[in-house]
Amino acid sequence: FKYLNIWKASHDGNLPKNYREKKEFKELIKNGIRTNDNGVPLDEENFDEAMQNVNSMLVPTTIPSVVKDILENEACTNLTNQSNNFWLLVRALREFVANEGEGLLPLRGSIPDMTSSSDLYIDLQRVYQTKARLDMEAITSHLIQILISLGKSESSISESEIKLFCRNSAFLRVVCTRSLTEELALPNITELGMQLSNPESTFIYYVLLRASERFFYRFK
């Protein structure tokens, strides 16, 4: 963070963007390593760790395309009092992204392991946890407004469910399938044949589950 601020001060507030700039930034960090009386660089793990993570850490923060699709889903746009909790939370998330989040998802509140003193690590962790709590409170506020507008109780979605949703908002997925009734009444023969002819497919386990179910009901 210290050397990022130094870099930004001499680059119009911009972060290193390309390979050349990231290489220069690594040199900037390297030059900050202290030396002993003989001019030999000291063994400072935090500097080594910082240089090793430049390429992976200095990337633009964006919303995954899969999550963007969910935020734009019709079920999120056209809520009703029959909408389930997931879509109500998604709509609250969309409102957050458009307002307090400034185009970003809520912070998870956790940080990876790193070379640091215990006190500094705990202090940094608290900063992230505080921001995550504030983000969750903002989403909760949007959620309450949505619930009220639909005639639902403000407490119909628990705090633990909201917290879990916020922490995992970057990993949201929606999987659309046919109902079991449609699946049994109108099986997709072509797809079944393709899956069964593929030796790498795990579809055979699905067939076995169906066969065992039929056996159970026939011979129970």
Side-chain angles (χ1 to χ4, degrees):
F1 182 74
K2 173 183 177 180
Y3 288 98
L4 274 177
N5 283 334
I6 294 174
W7 174 276
K8 288 166 67 177
S10 60
H11 291 81
D12 299 322
N14 296 314
L15 298 175
K17 296 185 290 293
N18 52 45
Y19 174 79
R20 179 181 59 79
E21 290 185 350
K22 290 179 180 180
K23 186 176 181 181
E24 291 176 5
F25 181 62
K26 288 181 184 179
E27 286 298 317
L28 176 64
I29 296 175
K30 185 177 181 180
N31 291 335
I33 298 176
R34 294 172 296 179
T35 58
N36 61 21
D37 294 338
N38 297 319
V40 178
L42 298 176
D43 184 16
E44 300 195 271
E45 290 183 34
N46 54 340
F47 278 80
D48 293 336
E49 191 175 75
M51 288 185 287
Q52 290 170 4
N53 286 281
V54 165
N55 291 336
S56 59
M57 293 294 103
L58 293 180
V59 293
T61 301
T62 59
I63 298 178
S65 58
V66 175
V67 178
K68 283 184 179 180
D69 291 341
I70 294 173
L71 296 177
E72 297 168 1
N73 192 291
E74 184 179 350
C76 172
T77 301
N78 301 318
L79 294 177
T80 71
N81 58 8
Q82 300 300 313
S83 298
N84 61 36
N85 288 0
F86 175 79
W87 289 113
L88 298 176
L89 286 164
V90 169
R91 179 60 173 271
L93 176 63
R94 189 168 84 175
E95 296 299 328
F96 170 84
V97 170
N99 294 281
E100 298 89 350
E102 299 181 348
L104 298 176
L105 297 173
L107 201 64
R108 296 199 72 199
S110 59
I111 57 175
D113 291 334
M114 64 184 74
T115 302
S116 172
S117 69
S118 296
D119 290 342
L120 289 177
Y121 185 86
I122 291 172
D123 287 343
L124 181 60
Q125 191 173 49
R126 284 174 178 160
V127 170
Y128 274 73
Q129 289 173 343
T130 298
K131 180 61 169 67
R133 177 177 54 79
L134 293 174
D135 286 351
M136 191 185 92
E137 289 176 357
I139 289 177
T140 301
S141 178
H142 287 298
L143 179 62
I144 289 174
Q145 294 178 33
I146 292 167
L147 291 170
I148 292 174
S149 71
L150 295 173
K152 290 177 171 286
S153 169
E154 296 180 22
S155 59
S156 58
I157 300 180
S158 67
E159 181 180 341
S160 60
E161 186 173 354
I162 298 171
K163 183 176 182 179
L164 180 65
F165 180 87
C166 290
R167 282 181 56 83
N168 294 283
S169 60
F171 313 110
L172 299 179
R173 298 292 185 272
V174 171
V175 179
C176 299
T177 63
R178 299 190 301 165
S179 68
L180 289 175
T181 300
E182 292 174 322
E183 184 180 317
L184 294 174
L186 300 169
N188 188 331
I189 303 300
T190 302
E191 181 65 22
L192 290 174
M194 290 176 59
Q195 291 294 335
L196 290 173
S197 63
N198 179 6
E200 301 296 326
S201 175
T202 57
F203 188 74
I204 185 63
Y205 297 111
Y206 173 78
V207 175
L208 290 172
L209 284 172
R210 284 294 188 197
S212 62
E213 181 184 46
R214 178 169 295 187
F215 177 87
F216 173 79
Y217 282 108
R218 178 173 297 180
F219 300 102
K220 66 178 179 179

